[in-house]
């Protein structure tokens, strides 16, 4: 199977995703991606949103969501629209998408769609003047380990998988037909400033930086908690080894007494008394580390852009003096 090199979004698909996610704020939005798998490229030609979840849906059947998807794809098929599922899209808050639920969804899709992707759109980051749209998928080797439930430190080390090998970014390209490009060129006004152009000149990044730093601190606390679990595991293993050594020494002394008395010796191995302690799962630690990396990248990009603006304004001020 050829590796996936790019995800090509039709322009109307990108607009549908942006509109759905922006209208759903502050709630998260999600929907289905439809298209074709063409060699090393995944072409997304259409999409449709999933209904928003609410308290009123508690009494509905668990299969309601699946029924809705099947009904939508049947309707699209009847009007001769691509109805092949290639993944799903979802919105994110400040780049937060690395969750265990996302991995579980990926694994479920992977059973039937080997090249499934998730398109993540961040409305808050997009408000800063850049389109925060990315396509991600799970690394195949990680999916196999997840299915086998081999996520301990030993298993991941033997598979040579780090936290960077969980999610794989796939380049995203937005395509539009020549007629659409001609229409945009016809409707595009003469050189005029827009609200987006003025937003790019905003020198303030304090609210954005504060949210990122706060989220980063929370993730660091979560990572410390995960590390404490690993530390506690090693302490319990060492304590069990000491207890087993003391028990074995006591049993040997008892056997020496029984041997001198001519009695039958007792077994020196009792597996029922000292059961192996299960090694902790490192998936949560990997996800938190990946999220920390995302926050650090966002802080780095925001600070770099702010410094560039400050130097630009300083140069303009010196030129006007």
């Amino acid at each position: 199977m050829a590796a996936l090199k790019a995800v090509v979004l039709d322009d109307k698909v990108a607009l549908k995703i942006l509109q759905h996610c922006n209208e759903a704020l502050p709630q998260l939005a999600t929907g289905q991606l439809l298209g074709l798998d063409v060699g090393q490229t995944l072409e997304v030609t259409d999409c449709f949103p999933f209904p928003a979840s609410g308290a009123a849906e508690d009494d509905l059947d668990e299969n309601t969501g699946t029924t809705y998807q099947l009904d939508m794809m049947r309707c699209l098929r009847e009007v001769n629209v691509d109805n092949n599922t290639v993944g799903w899209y979802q919105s994110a808050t400040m780049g937060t998408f690395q969750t265990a639920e996302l991995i579980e969804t990926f694994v479920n899709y992977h059973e039937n769609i080997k090249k499934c992707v998730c398109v993540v759109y961040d409305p808050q980051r997009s408000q800063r003047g850049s389109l925060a749209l990315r396509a991600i998928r799970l690394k195949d080797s990680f999916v196999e380990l997840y299915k086998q439930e081999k996520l301990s430190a030993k298993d991941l080390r033997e598979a040579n998988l780090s936290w960077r090998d969980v999610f794989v970014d796939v380049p995203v390209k937005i395509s539009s037909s020549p007629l659409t490009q001609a229409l945009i060129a016809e409707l595009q006004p003469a050189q005029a400033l827009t609200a987006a152009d003025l937003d790019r000149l905003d020198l303030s990044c304090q609210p954005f930086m504060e949210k990122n730093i706060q989220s980063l601190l929370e993730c660091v606390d979560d990572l410390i908690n995960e590390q404490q679990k690993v530390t506690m595991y090693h302490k319990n293993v060492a304590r069990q080894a000491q207890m087993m050594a003391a028990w074995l020494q006591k049993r040997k002394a008892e056997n020496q007494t029984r041997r001198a008395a001519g009695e039958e010796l007792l077994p020196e191995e009792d597996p029922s008394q000292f059961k192996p302690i299960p090694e902790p799962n490192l998936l949560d630690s990997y996800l938190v580390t990946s999220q920390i990396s995302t926050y650090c990248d966002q802080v780095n990009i925001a600070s770099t852009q702010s410094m560039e603006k400050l130097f630009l304004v300083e140069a303009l001020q010196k030129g006007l003096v």
Side-chain angles (χ1 to χ4, degrees):
M1 184 177 62
L4 187 62
K5 297 295 185 180
V7 174
V8 179
L9 292 179
D10 194 81
D11 51 1
K12 67 177 181 180
V13 175
L15 291 176
K16 285 182 179 181
I17 294 175
L18 268 60
Q19 180 181 9
H20 181 207
C21 295
N22 287 325
E23 291 178 350
L25 286 175
Q27 302 295 326
L28 298 180
T30 183
Q32 193 83 23
L33 296 177
L34 306 174
L36 297 172
D37 178 10
V38 183
Q40 297 181 338
T41 303
L42 195 66
E43 297 181 359
V44 183
T45 57
D46 205 351
C47 67
F48 62 86
F50 292 153
S53 60
E57 295 187 356
D58 293 341
D59 297 333
L60 296 180
D61 188 4
E62 295 180 356
N63 296 326
T64 300
T66 304
T67 304
Y68 170 80
Q69 297 179 37
L70 295 177
D71 291 342
M72 281 294 299
M73 288 189 288
R74 184 177 64 253
C75 294
L76 293 173
R77 183 171 60 252
E78 291 177 354
V79 295
N80 198 25
V81 176
D82 289 336
N83 62 334
N84 299 316
T85 301
V86 295
W88 77 100
Y89 70 86
Q90 69 178 49
S91 59
T93 303
M94 302 297 292
T96 304
F97 63 87
Q98 297 95 332
T99 61
E101 291 77 12
L102 179 66
I103 292 181
E104 184 67 27
T105 305
F106 258 119
V107 173
N108 293 335
Y109 271 84
H110 194 269
E111 294 293 336
N112 300 316
I113 309 171
K114 299 301 181 182
K115 294 184 180 180
C116 66
V117 298
C118 176
V119 174
V120 181
Y121 173 67
D122 192 336
Q124 294 179 333
R125 287 187 58 196
S126 298
Q127 292 175 359
R128 295 183 54 82
S130 61
L131 181 61
L133 194 68
R134 60 189 297 188
I136 59 173
R137 62 191 306 266
L138 292 182
K139 197 169 184 178
D140 293 336
S141 55
F142 175 80
V143 173
E144 296 301 324
L145 287 180
Y146 186 88
K147 291 180 179 179
Q148 299 173 12
E149 298 182 355
K150 294 182 177 181
L151 297 176
S152 63
K154 179 181 178 181
D155 296 328
L156 294 173
R157 184 169 57 253
E158 291 178 351
N160 196 23
L161 286 178
S162 68
W163 61 269
R164 300 179 185 274
D165 300 319
V166 178
F167 295 102
V168 178
D169 278 285
V170 183
V172 177
K173 300 178 181 179
I174 298 179
S175 66
S176 57
S177 65
L179 291 177
T180 302
Q181 297 178 4
L183 178 61
I184 293 176
E186 182 71 21
L187 297 178
Q188 186 175 9
Q191 298 294 332
L193 293 177
T194 63
D197 295 327
L198 296 177
D199 291 338
R200 294 190 184 96
L201 299 177
D202 186 11
L203 301 179
S204 174
C205 65
Q206 182 176 356
F208 182 79
M209 294 289 285
E210 285 182 352
K211 292 180 181 178
N212 273 279
I213 296 298
Q214 183 179 1
S215 301
L216 184 59
L217 292 176
E218 293 175 356
C219 285
V220 170
D221 292 337
D222 294 338
L223 184 60
I224 292 175
N225 293 333
E226 294 299 325
Q227 291 178 343
Q228 288 177 350
K229 294 180 182 179
V230 178
T231 302
M232 185 60 64
Y233 161 75
H234 289 293
K235 288 183 178 179
N236 292 334
V237 170
R239 186 182 300 110
Q240 186 185 66
Q242 292 177 356
M243 294 174 59
M244 188 172 182
W247 175 86
L248 183 59
Q249 184 177 4
K250 181 180 178 181
R251 177 57 60 88
K252 287 181 178 180
E254 186 177 355
N255 280 338
Q256 289 180 358
T257 304
R258 298 175 67 91
R259 185 182 295 108
E263 298 178 358
E264 184 180 358
L265 300 182
L266 298 176
E268 295 185 357
E269 294 183 1
D270 189 3
S272 63
Q273 185 172 355
F274 298 99
K275 295 181 180 180
I277 300 177
E279 194 169 353
N281 190 320
L282 292 186
L283 177 59
D284 292 337
S285 178
Y286 273 28
L287 294 178
V288 173
T289 306
S290 179
Q291 188 62 62
I292 290 176
S293 177
T294 300
Y295 287 136
C296 291
D297 292 340
Q298 292 178 172
V299 171
N300 186 24
I301 294 174
S303 59
T304 301
Q305 293 175 347
S306 298
M307 292 297 294
E308 292 174 350
K309 293 178 183 179
L310 290 175
F311 278 112
L312 178 61
V313 171
E314 181 183 6
L316 291 175
Q317 289 178 344
K318 291 180 178 180
L320 296 176
V321 175

